[in-house]
């Protein structure tokens, strides 16, 4: 998996919590990447209707409350998918081999179960939880 998922969460937290309108360069400086990569991730977030921008103005806004944006929403947006499919089964197995003949049937239910559990976990966590944890962690570091 690439970093678009974590970068998108970073961007959304910044947009949610910043007191000023942020440009893609501001976001890139915080993420530690270039603004063209940020614009690519922003485009994915816009296409998923998680953020909006105003024509001709700097800055972005969340389209809904942070508590209503799940990590699954963000994952789907950044991976451009509708269903998690992390584990692929190799092709062209030897059908004359007992392992080759049965491996897909053995692995598919296991892989599906793990992907379904991940989907469930991501759907139960939201952007507000990340933001709350940010403030808790920042408070601990200040002490």
């Amino acid at each position: 998996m690439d970093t678009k998922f974590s970068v998108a969460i970073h961007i959304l937290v910044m947009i949610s919590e910043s007191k000023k309108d942020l440009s893609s360069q501001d976001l890139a400086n915080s993420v530690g990447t270039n603004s063209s990569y940020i614009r690519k991730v922003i485009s994915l977030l816009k296409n998923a209707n998680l953020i909006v921008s105003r024509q001709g103005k700097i800055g972005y806004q969340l389209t809904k409350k942070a508590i209503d944006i799940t990590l699954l929403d963000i994952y789907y947006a950044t991976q451009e998918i509708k269903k998690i499919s992390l584990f692929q089964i190799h092709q062209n197995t030897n059908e004359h081999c007992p392992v080759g003949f049965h491996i897909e049937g053995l692995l598919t239910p296991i892989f599906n179960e793990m992907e379904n559990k991940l989907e469930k976990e991501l759907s139960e966590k939201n952007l507000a939880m990340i933001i709350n944890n940010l403030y808790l962690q920042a408070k601990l570091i200040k002490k």
Side-chain angles (χ1 to χ4, degrees):
M1 182 173 15
D2 61 23
T3 62
K4 287 188 299 242
F5 180 50
S6 64
V7 168
I9 294 170
H10 189 137
I11 289 169
L12 292 169
V13 170
M14 291 282 296
I15 290 170
S16 173
E17 298 308 294
S18 179
K19 304 288 186 240
K20 67 175 196 151
D21 290 334
L22 300 169
S23 68
S24 58
Q25 187 58 54
D26 294 327
L27 294 166
N29 289 339
S30 179
V31 171
T33 190
N34 60 62
S35 58
S36 65
Y37 183 70
I38 294 298
R39 285 190 294 274
K40 178 191 285 188
V41 176
I42 284 172
S43 176
L44 295 171
L45 295 172
K46 282 181 174 181
N47 289 342
N49 198 32
L50 296 178
I51 62 171
V52 293
S53 61
R54 297 174 304 254
Q55 183 99 15
K57 293 191 177 190
I58 292 176
Y60 308 92
Q61 294 176 319
L62 301 180
T63 58
K64 45 190 163 180
K65 295 177 183 172
I67 198 166
D68 296 324
I69 299 175
T70 69
L71 295 188
L72 186 60
D73 296 331
I74 302 166
Y75 183 82
Y76 283 161
T78 58
Q79 303 307 302
E80 301 180 272
I81 59 170
K82 300 274 188 236
K83 175 97 174 97
I84 292 179
S85 181
L86 294 176
F87 306 108
Q88 305 302 312
I89 298 174
H90 53 289
Q91 301 296 303
N92 305 317
T93 57
N94 182 343
E95 292 186 12
H96 300 290
C97 169
V99 176
F101 183 77
H102 293 284
I103 195 71
E104 184 174 353
L106 294 169
L107 294 179
T108 297
I110 295 168
F111 289 178
N112 287 341
E113 180 183 352
M114 290 187 290
E115 290 163 346
N116 289 337
K117 284 181 180 180
L118 177 58
E119 265 185 4
K120 183 178 182 305
E121 285 292 317
L122 290 174
S123 72
E124 293 173 352
K125 300 197 176 17
N126 58 54
L127 187 60
M129 295 167 92
I130 302 288
I131 293 166
N132 289 338
N133 287 338
L134 168 71
Y135 287 111
L136 288 173
Q137 189 169 344
K139 190 181 281 187
L140 290 174
I141 291 172
K142 279 186 176 179
K143 288 184 176 182

